[in-house]
Amino acid sequence: MTQLSERWKEVIGKVKTWAFTNSIYVVHFNSGSCNGCDIEILATLTPRYDAERLGVKLIGSPRHADVLICTGPVSLQARERLLRTYQQMPDPKFVVVVGSCGVQGGVFDGCYNVMGGVDTVIPVNAYIPGCPPRPEAIIDGIVKLLGSLRSPAKAVPVLNPEGKVS
Amino acid sequence: MKLVIPPLIYMLLFPGGLGLIMTGLLYEWVHRKLVARLQNRIGPRWFQPMADALKLLLKEEIIPSEVNPYLFVGLPVAGIAGVLTAGLYVPLWGFPAAYSFDGDLIVTLYLLSLLTLSTGLAGWNTRSRFSLVGATRTLTQLFAYEAPFMMALLGPALAVGSWRMNDIIAGNQGTWLMFTQPIGFIVAVIGLMGKLEMPPFDAPEAETEIVAGALTDYSGRGLVLFHIGRTTEMLVGLTMIAALYMGGINGPLDFVIKTLPVLLLISGFQTLITRLRIDQTVGLWWRYGALLVLLQWVVLIVLKGIS
Amino acid sequence: MVATAPAPKPVNAELLADVEPRFVKVREFLEPIASRCTVAPGFNSPEPNRIDVNIEAGDLLTAASAFYDNHWGYLAAITGLDHGPEEDYLEALYHFCGGAAVTTLRVKLPRHGGSVPSIAERIPAAGFFEREFAEMFGVYPTGLQDCSHLFLPEDWPDGLYPLLKDTEIPSPKTIASMDGLDKPIVDQGGGRFIVPIGPQHPALKEPGHFEFTVEGEIVVGASMRLGYVHRGLEKATESRNYIQNLYLLERVCGICSHTHASAYSNAVEQLAGVEVPLRAQAIREIVAGLERIHSHLLWLGVAAHEAGFDTLFMYSWRDRETVMDLLEQITGNRVNYSICLLGGVKQDVNYAQADALRAGLDYLEQRSRHYYEVVTTDSMFLQRTRDIGTMSLAQAEYLGALGPTARASGVVRDVRVEAPYGAYRRFPVSVVMDTAGDLEARFKVRLKELFVSCSAIRTILDNLPDTELTTRMPRRVPAGETVSRVEAPRGEAFYFVKSNGTDMPERVKVRTPSLCNWTSVLNQAIGRQLADVPLLIAGMDPCFSCNDRMVVVRDNSMHHGVRSASSKGDAHHTEIWTWEKLRQYGIDFYRRGGNK
Amino acid sequence: MKIGTMLSDVVRSFLDKPATQVYPAVRTETPERLRGKVKWDPSRCSGCQLCVKDCPSGALELITLDRANKRFLMLYRMDCCTYCAQCVHSCRSKCFEMDSEDWEMAALDRLSFAQYYGKEADVDVYLEQVGHPDAEKPGVD
């Protein structure tokens, strides 16, 4: 009997991965970015890049979302709202950071009202550096995130609040 | 034993539950693909709505704290139940309707608006501001399009003189009522767009104003039930318009040939129009919708009176 | 080692002709006030188009209203200048711009505990500038209704003024840790039904927190809290050298990045007395024109998306890709072009790129004509834009609106025409105006500006002066102060740069266009449907990251003859909340209604 | 009372091919001035540190192993870099150039963003000094 439930569990796992990697509801949060990356994110939805063919759909409420696309070097004011938006997303949820500001604070690193990277506040699954990254680079980031979800050997995001990579 | 199985299969598998939902999702894919193609985009793949529905089913469902949990969980079920039962009285896939009794046209219309009612109540039940505004808009819009839409669909019934769907289809077998009652057809199609809250009338879930309207706080199972209810409602509405106004449906191929052009008409109309504010929609419906349908009825009665 | 003063700049006659009569008029009505000043009375003119006047703090209100009574330009910005603990005084500079002339009222203040009379009564736009001045320098405006934090987050430690020279600011993580958020929940009592929009909201590409008090669907009160995109740029510029600042200031706002880069490089080049070669100036104007086209097409799409017309959004952004490709070919990046260097330009426009530009512009002009026709004739779209959010000429002047929002109401204010800089003298641009003042007029003005930009770029391409691209630029800029004004797609961007001879600027003040348009938007929102509000906000093409301002508009607070829903002063049923209450309500609404 | 002003666009796009470039499958070539990843040529470097001083986001760090015979290493932080090409202009001996092909730099963790540029031997020597010899050395030419 257990051998059956084993195979059953594996089938459910396959179906679940298929569903999660083919339908991605994205919510966008700008935590202090100069809106260069935000207009490139919006550009991925327009006819020339059309993220809908990959199953990506931009929706308004974090309650419906799976992936939080975050831009900007988390300003102090936006920090707590970013945390709250992240908490409201149902599991399983992923975070994609777009732009050098979100990864490491970019050119604003060291300003007094900026926390630095997004991963000082919430765990991040994929980083897309660039200032701003091209819409194709953003799609490349999402495709890499989906690829890592399909193959279970994905790197577990490590939340290192302290500063630079040692 | 013979008696028991067919109705169960009717109910659960083929024209009933699963079949209806799968066809609804396929029709939703056609709709999204058409809208994307009209906007010069490629659009989603064929299994996209199924993947969305399946993923939402497998996601965690968050029930906000100060919400009446029974109502929160029960309303989506009530909504989809209404729509699925409406599917039984409608000649889906060209097969004769599973059940029909005198006056089933009225019952089907009532069952379809059960979903809108449950969406409105769901929006009223939560504390999120957006849902409250969304709920009021859903209900105000319900009163706007409901009467003209119902009168438009009762036009063919008037022509035949009975409220039973099968009789109406049988009565109008030859003639295409689309051409003899053009105003009724137009109001019916636009009424269906209002019922499905498609762009000109999508104030209740205007993404840029009130995030997701009444469904802002739903996630996972509740959201997917409402979403599937909406897609099935589209399928049922399309079949009713095709059955009543295009001289009945007599086979699966005929069903597809007759419903897809209406869907193309709806998608095309949707991409050309800006979203109307809620007061503009109500004004439009009562000023133009109702009067046009009344005019259609007067013409019908006068013609019937003469003949 | 302090660099020597720059050689006297060649004064062109045209500028003098415009500026001279204005200064005569200024001297005439400011003379009585200036003479009363004890410190250093009299006018001095550090640059041909600038005059400085030292006045007493007390006469500020009379001096400011003198400007408006004589219809001499408008208040562009208030700059705070800390002269450091040794000289132990602070200076507040009130910049008034009229045509090409800039008059600065200088007020000396003690470094700690100083106060300035508020002029927000007479000039509403000054309310912003005074709040920022108070928050950054600790000089509180007396008589201003509401001066809680403008930029800085709510949990910013009191008494810590970032822009004073000798304050050392704890690292952001320590400030975040002493977060005083778990204050007891204030029960907000009756009050109105508040719809919060933002900071995470599909209508806003950027975070801003709006709270609209609604009765049913009608908006009766509007308040706005930004500050989410405040990064502390002005403090950061003081610890970076001139070359690094160019890229820091270019990222004030992603959409109008070239505006900020060229404004900053103009200022530094004026300070260093360096003349940029003609070809570099022309290439800067070409990229500025392309940026204006890309910004307006982007705005057209976003505004249509917020009105619910997604097809126009998709098509306008598809056509915008042509101009993004052109920008990528010429400058190497789609959004932050970084084509400006101090003293010139990085990339050249060769013949292949010139032909690609001409082809792209023809396609864009033909498409913009089509969009112009769509926006002005589609009756369903007009139902959402015609005479909604109407702003009369008087209101626009009074509220200090700038850019296309003001030009749609008939205010003639375009820096490229009034005070031409760079290549705009050789390749002039015409002002586009409309008098209706409603949302439709703003659509029309912006689309007509597309045509103007296309033709301007074509004329430059036809006779591109061929000189080299850059000139030598000293790393240490000689001491001095300068003002540089540039016309961004959203209005006039105002820069004040003070250098002290080292290779790091002493003070860089940035006042961005969207800041001045906020009061006008919130004022129009009152009395309108909630459904119109996102389109109204989009109507002024807000750029939050350009600025971070908060303004509170209660239905009876903005009296002064400005249209507001309920009559002046009556609070019969409205229970007026203090901002503190509204903000607290916003926070605990999220915490209670939000998570499980 | 015009309704379908966008009708001409909609019908034309319904009939002909959509304007979408299927990116992951089809990669369109990029303009040659595109500012992608920074490339550094160790042989020409004179160790003047002008690039490090002018970099607005502190993405470059010059490590001098041996000043006499010009053995230098460059630690390039891809995630801090803002791709502004100021280093290309500041460097008098033209060691830098921006690669216009390499702009797909997305990664699942931040460790892969720090890259050492320099000769293979120099990098190994330096890594021993710093004490974690196994740090992977992408980007070493």
Side-chain angles (χ1 to χ4, degrees):
Chain A
M1 207 23 213
T2 59
Q3 193 264 349
L4 181 66
S5 74
E6 211 48 55
R7 227 165 22 75
W8 183 248
K9 219 188 257 78
E10 185 224 308
V11 164
I12 290 286
K14 255 204 194 53
V15 165
K16 198 165 187 174
T17 329
W18 174 80
F20 281 123
T21 48
N22 278 316
S23 140
I24 308 121
Y25 281 7
V26 163
V27 73
H28 162 248
F29 188 86
N30 170 341
S31 70
S33 135
C34 75
N35 76 34
C37 298
D38 306 286
I39 53 178
E40 293 295 77
I41 291 172
L42 273 178
T44 55
L45 304 168
T46 50
R48 179 154 166 199
Y49 304 101
D50 192 17
E52 197 176 359
R53 58 190 162 83
L54 301 169
V56 174
K57 189 167 172 230
L58 190 71
I59 42 149
S61 154
R63 201 45 75 67
H64 307 173
D66 319 322
V67 171
L68 169 71
I69 279 205
C70 190
T71 58
V74 196
S75 68
L76 278 180
Q77 179 81 358
R79 180 185 57 80
E80 150 240 349
R81 291 298 162 94
L82 172 63
L83 209 59
R84 194 166 292 155
T85 309
Y86 181 71
Q87 280 158 7
Q88 285 195 16
M89 287 166 67
D91 289 323
K93 51 193 172 191
F94 307 98
V95 176
V96 175
V97 162
V98 174
S100 295
C101 299
V103 180
Q104 185 51 45
V107 79
F108 303 115
D109 202 12
C111 294
Y112 63 81
N113 201 29
V114 152
M115 293 280 288
V118 171
D119 51 18
T120 54
V121 180
I122 48 176
V124 172
N125 299 81
Y127 300 90
I128 307 175
C131 186
R134 306 176 79 223
E136 278 125 340
I138 296 174
I139 292 181
D140 166 53
I142 293 176
V143 163
K144 277 185 180 147
L145 174 71
L146 297 183
S148 77
L149 295 184
R150 287 197 178 98
S151 61
K154 69 178 173 64
V156 174
V158 65
L159 176 66
N160 43 14
E162 89 288 346
K164 307 266 179 187
V165 171
S166 56
Chain B
M1 198 50 191
K2 191 177 77 52
L3 183 65
V4 171
I5 292 172
L8 214 60
I9 290 174
Y10 257 165
M11 205 82 70
L12 285 185
L13 279 186
F14 182 62
L18 206 57
L20 188 60
I21 291 175
M22 278 308 155
T23 339
L25 289 176
L26 260 180
Y27 266 67
E28 200 231 329
W29 168 68
V30 170
H31 171 64
R32 277 173 72 175
K33 190 82 176 178
L34 276 175
V35 167
R37 268 301 154 82
L38 294 177
Q39 290 173 352
N40 209 343
R41 297 185 284 125
I42 282 188
R45 297 154 298 193
W46 68 271
F47 51 81
Q48 189 62 49
M50 289 103 182
D52 290 349
L54 198 58
K55 178 209 68 175
L56 283 173
L57 268 175
L58 297 168
K59 274 189 89 85
E60 169 215 359
E61 175 157 25
I62 298 177
I63 300 179
S65 47
E66 338 60 28
V67 147
N68 171 347
Y70 307 107
L71 215 55
F72 188 82
V73 171
L75 278 173
V77 175
I80 195 160
V83 176
L84 288 181
T85 28
L88 293 180
Y89 303 106
V90 165
L92 269 172
W93 283 104
F95 301 108
Y99 298 94
S100 84
F101 54 90
D102 215 353
D104 61 7
L105 184 61
I106 310 290
V107 169
T108 330
L109 287 174
Y110 163 71
L111 286 171
L112 284 181
S113 50
L114 193 62
L115 175 70
T116 327
L117 273 174
S118 60
T119 319
L121 283 177
W124 206 260
N125 177 14
T126 58
R127 261 182 60 60
S128 138
R129 285 295 178 257
F130 303 127
S131 324
L132 295 178
V133 173
T136 37
R137 285 190 183 176
T138 320
L139 297 178
T140 29
Q141 189 167 312
L142 176 67
F143 304 131
Y145 66 76
E146 194 58 32
F149 180 58
M150 190 172 282
M151 283 152 70
L153 284 184
L154 295 185
L158 254 180
V160 166
S162 120
W163 302 99
R164 184 196 274 261
M165 199 92 85
N166 290 352
D167 299 354
I168 300 171
I169 295 168
N172 305 336
Q173 196 56 41
T175 63
W176 274 47
L177 285 178
M178 202 165 88
F179 303 114
T180 53
Q181 295 179 13
I183 304 173
F185 177 71
I186 292 168
V187 173
V189 166
I190 297 180
L192 182 64
M193 291 179 76
K195 186 178 269 298
L196 300 172
E197 282 164 9
M198 283 188 173
F201 310 108
D202 66 345
E205 50 184 38
E207 196 211 18
T208 51
E209 287 148 24
I210 40 174
V211 186
L215 306 180
T216 314
D217 269 347
Y218 273 86
S219 70
R221 202 175 51 76
L223 187 63
V224 78
L225 287 180
F226 274 125
H227 180 66
I228 288 182
R230 182 64 39 78
T231 38
T232 330
E233 190 180 17
M234 174 166 76
L235 182 66
V236 168
L238 280 177
T239 7
M240 278 169 72
I241 289 182
L244 298 181
Y245 272 94
M246 295 184 180
I249 308 174
N250 31 40
L253 188 63
D254 193 19
F255 171 81
V256 173
I257 289 169
K258 288 198 171 146
T259 45
L260 283 189
V262 182
L263 187 58
L264 177 67
L265 193 69
I266 286 182
S267 310
F269 193 62
Q270 166 190 340
T271 52
L272 291 176
I273 303 295
T274 318
R275 173 189 310 137
L276 289 172
R277 285 200 318 256
I278 192 70
D279 56 324
Q280 287 168 344
T281 30
V282 172
L284 179 98
W285 276 109
W286 282 116
R287 215 172 287 124
Y288 301 107
L291 293 188
L292 277 175
V293 170
L294 279 180
L295 180 70
Q296 174 67 53
W297 272 30
V298 162
V299 163
L300 255 174
I301 291 163
V302 163
L303 283 180
K304 244 172 107 65
I306 296 166
S307 65
Chain C
M1 197 275 286
V2 178
T4 55
K9 278 185 280 305
V11 183
N12 60 43
E14 202 190 89
L15 176 75
L16 271 187
D18 172 68
V19 161
E20 218 39 59
R22 292 176 191 274
F23 281 144
V24 166
K25 198 154 177 252
V26 160
R27 288 175 197 274
E28 168 212 304
F29 66 76
L30 270 187
E31 191 50 42
I33 303 168
S35 56
R36 282 204 295 269
C37 172
T38 54
V39 174
F43 299 80
N44 48 53
S45 164
E47 277 175 327
N49 66 342
R50 273 180 59 233
I51 265 190
D52 285 357
V53 189
N54 292 326
I55 60 168
E56 285 303 320
D59 307 335
L60 203 53
L61 192 56
T62 45
S65 26
F67 273 97
Y68 274 74
D69 299 346
N70 295 290
H71 298 296
W72 198 94
Y74 56 96
L75 172 67
I78 300 178
T79 317
L81 206 55
D82 177 11
H83 285 269
E86 321 81 29
E87 294 173 32
D88 195 13
Y89 74 94
L90 199 75
E91 230 178 339
L93 313 180
Y94 289 68
H95 305 281
F96 287 85
C97 298
V102 178
T103 314
T104 317
L105 304 178
R106 311 182 79 106
V107 180
K108 285 204 170 30
L109 298 160
R111 280 196 79 240
H112 295 290
S115 77
V116 176
S118 159
I119 56 173
E121 290 303 317
R122 184 68 179 76
I123 311 165
F128 299 130
F129 308 145
E130 281 164 356
R131 299 262 277 282
E132 183 203 2
F133 185 45
E135 196 175 40
M136 292 296 169
F137 289 88
V139 175
Y140 279 88
T142 50
L144 189 63
Q145 243 179 2
D146 179 358
C147 45
S148 55
H149 275 311
L150 207 57
F151 270 138
L152 299 171
E154 288 122 11
D155 43 37
W156 186 263
D158 298 341
L160 182 68
Y161 303 112
L163 278 181
L164 286 180
K165 283 283 185 251
D166 52 4
T167 52
E168 36 82 26
I169 302 171
S171 85
K173 294 180 184 55
T174 46
I175 294 178
S177 56
M178 47 181 175
D179 177 351
L181 188 66
D182 319 331
K183 296 195 196 87
I185 298 173
V186 171
D187 184 358
Q188 81 282 356
R192 319 290 285 285
F193 179 69
I194 306 268
V195 175
I197 293 185
Q200 187 273 324
H201 190 276
L204 310 167
K205 331 198 271 314
E206 302 162 75
H209 184 77
F210 295 84
E211 290 201 349
F212 293 98
T213 329
V214 283
E215 275 172 10
E217 286 267 338
I218 305 293
V219 174
V220 285
S223 77
M224 172 184 84
R225 164 77 177 138
L226 294 147
Y228 294 98
V229 191
H230 175 62
R231 296 148 293 197
L233 285 182
E234 288 171 9
K235 183 74 176 177
T237 50
E238 286 157 14
S239 58
R240 285 169 166 75
N241 65 36
Y242 281 103
I243 295 174
Q244 288 173 325
N245 275 337
L246 177 63
Y247 299 102
L248 179 67
L249 288 168
E250 193 182 25
R251 282 155 178 82
V252 162
C253 156
I255 306 176
C256 41
S257 64
H258 182 72
T259 314
H260 291 280
S262 45
Y264 172 75
S265 21
N266 285 349
V268 177
E269 279 140 16
Q270 278 165 21
L271 282 173
V274 162
E275 190 55 35
V276 179
L278 296 182
R279 188 177 183 94
Q281 285 178 8
I283 291 178
R284 278 188 188 170
E285 190 181 336
I286 289 179
V287 175
L290 287 175
E291 172 181 71
R292 185 178 301 280
I293 294 173
H294 124 72
S295 168
H296 283 333
L297 278 176
L298 175 140
W299 170 80
L300 176 69
V302 168
H305 174 64
E306 272 164 44
F309 196 14
D310 277 349
T311 322
L312 185 56
F313 166 61
M314 288 296 173
Y315 279 99
S316 57
W317 276 55
R318 180 200 64 181
D319 297 334
R320 178 175 157 266
E321 288 301 320
T322 359
V323 78
M324 301 300 268
D325 286 348
L326 292 176
L327 282 167
E328 196 169 42
Q329 275 160 26
I330 295 172
T331 63
N333 191 310
R334 287 160 55 97
V335 175
N336 289 328
Y337 328 117
S338 309
I339 194 162
C340 280
L341 264 179
L342 294 182
V345 175
K346 276 196 188 121
Q347 308 276 6
D348 188 9
V349 178
N350 55 36
Y351 290 110
Q353 272 138 14
D355 300 342
L357 258 173
R358 286 196 186 86
L361 290 178
D362 296 345
Y363 174 75
L364 279 171
E365 193 147 19
Q366 172 227 336
R367 291 302 297 176
S368 315
R369 255 192 199 70
H370 172 58
Y371 294 134
Y372 185 82
E373 188 247 337
V374 163
V375 155
T376 45
T377 54
D378 187 310
S379 60
M380 303 295 268
F381 195 75
L382 287 175
Q383 271 183 348
R384 297 299 300 276
T385 54
R386 183 156 281 177
D387 50 48
I388 285 172
T390 313
M391 187 165 66
S392 68
L393 176 69
Q395 271 176 336
E397 295 241 320
Y398 177 75
L399 294 172
L402 281 179
T405 324
R407 288 198 287 272
S409 310
V411 177
V412 183
R413 202 170 284 171
D414 186 337
V415 183
R416 296 172 299 171
V417 175
E418 282 170 352
Y421 51 90
Y424 284 102
R425 273 189 219 92
R426 286 165 54 89
F427 307 104
V429 179
S430 59
V431 186
V432 170
M433 263 218 333
D434 197 302
T435 49
D438 58 1
L439 265 175
E440 187 204 356
R442 290 178 202 137
F443 273 90
K444 275 200 231 166
V445 163
R446 287 194 169 95
L447 281 171
K448 278 195 208 133
E449 275 184 8
L450 286 187
F451 303 136
V452 169
S453 291
C454 284
S455 54
I457 294 177
R458 277 203 202 90
T459 44
I460 300 174
L461 279 179
D462 294 347
N463 32 48
L464 199 60
D466 95 10
T467 65
E468 76 285 357
L469 286 179
T470 54
T471 57
R472 271 239 4 96
M473 182 74 182
R475 276 189 82 87
R476 281 185 184 73
V477 177
E481 285 177 3
T482 185
V483 158
S484 141
R485 300 159 65 201
V486 163
E487 182 67 21
R490 283 161 199 70
E492 175 216 26
F494 183 91
Y495 266 70
F496 171 85
V497 181
K498 176 176 173 46
S499 58
N500 51 15
T502 66
D503 70 345
M504 291 197 186
E506 191 179 323
R507 173 81 167 102
V508 176
K509 163 71 188 175
V510 179
R511 196 276 296 141
T512 47
S514 310
L515 163 66
C516 296
N517 294 331
W518 281 119
T519 11
S520 54
V521 164
L522 288 170
N523 236 284
Q524 290 147 20
I526 292 183
R528 291 253 33 108
Q529 296 261 351
L530 181 65
D532 285 334
V533 163
L535 197 53
L536 273 175
I537 293 176
M540 80 154 221
D541 193 355
C543 185
F544 296 75
S545 42
C546 268
N547 62 20
D548 265 327
R549 298 296 184 268
M550 176 198 68
V551 68
V552 179
V553 175
R554 205 75 82 253
D555 40 18
N556 57 4
S557 69
M558 289 303 288
H559 23 83
H560 283 295
V562 165
R563 185 174 62 80
S564 69
S566 61
S567 64
K568 193 162 50 172
D570 79 324
H572 46 81
H573 62 281
T574 55
E575 190 228 320
I576 299 305
W577 287 359
T578 62
W579 167 247
E580 201 48 40
K581 233 184 193 178
L582 261 180
R583 189 186 58 70
Q584 190 51 49
Y585 178 79
I587 290 181
D588 64 47
F589 149 70
Y590 259 111
R591 287 173 63 217
R592 252 209 329 272
N595 39 32
K596 193 155 33 76
Chain D
M1 180 59 189
K2 284 182 71 159
I3 289 285
T5 49
M6 291 290 278
L7 190 63
S8 58
D9 292 305
V10 166
V11 166
R12 199 176 319 118
S13 66
F14 181 64
L15 301 176
D16 60 17
K17 218 161 53 54
T20 311
Q21 295 165 357
V22 263
Y23 160 64
V26 167
R27 288 164 56 86
T28 54
E29 30 76 34
T30 51
E32 24 82 36
R33 279 188 184 171
L34 177 72
R35 298 199 298 268
K37 209 162 93 166
V38 171
K39 287 276 179 293
W40 179 71
D41 168 9
S43 56
R44 293 207 218 134
C45 177
S46 64
C48 65
Q49 302 250 14
L50 249 182
C51 55
V52 176
K53 248 196 314 194
D54 282 351
C55 176
S57 58
L60 294 173
E61 198 185 321
L62 192 71
I63 307 151
T64 55
L65 292 176
D66 170 2
R67 178 167 279 286
N69 39 36
K70 292 199 180 326
R71 283 176 55 226
F72 299 106
L73 278 182
M74 178 69 76
L75 168 59
Y76 169 59
R77 304 287 315 289
M78 241 185 358
D79 49 358
C80 297
C81 176
T82 57
Y83 306 93
C84 59
Q86 178 60 38
C87 46
V88 174
H89 281 272
S90 299
C91 180
R92 289 201 183 80
S93 42
K94 295 287 169 280
C95 314
F96 285 95
E97 51 109 10
M98 303 285 270
D99 180 356
S100 74
E101 255 74 39
D102 188 351
W103 41 268
E104 286 146 323
M105 299 168 273
L108 299 176
D109 57 67
R110 259 176 352 140
L111 301 179
S112 67
F113 288 144
Q115 305 207 332
Y116 293 95
Y117 286 143
K119 292 194 181 50
E120 182 80 23
D122 298 351
V123 176
D124 297 344
V125 162
Y126 171 68
L127 287 181
E128 264 100 36
Q129 278 168 9
V130 173
H132 42 70
D134 51 5
E136 7 93 22
K137 301 179 282 302
V140 171
D141 45 18

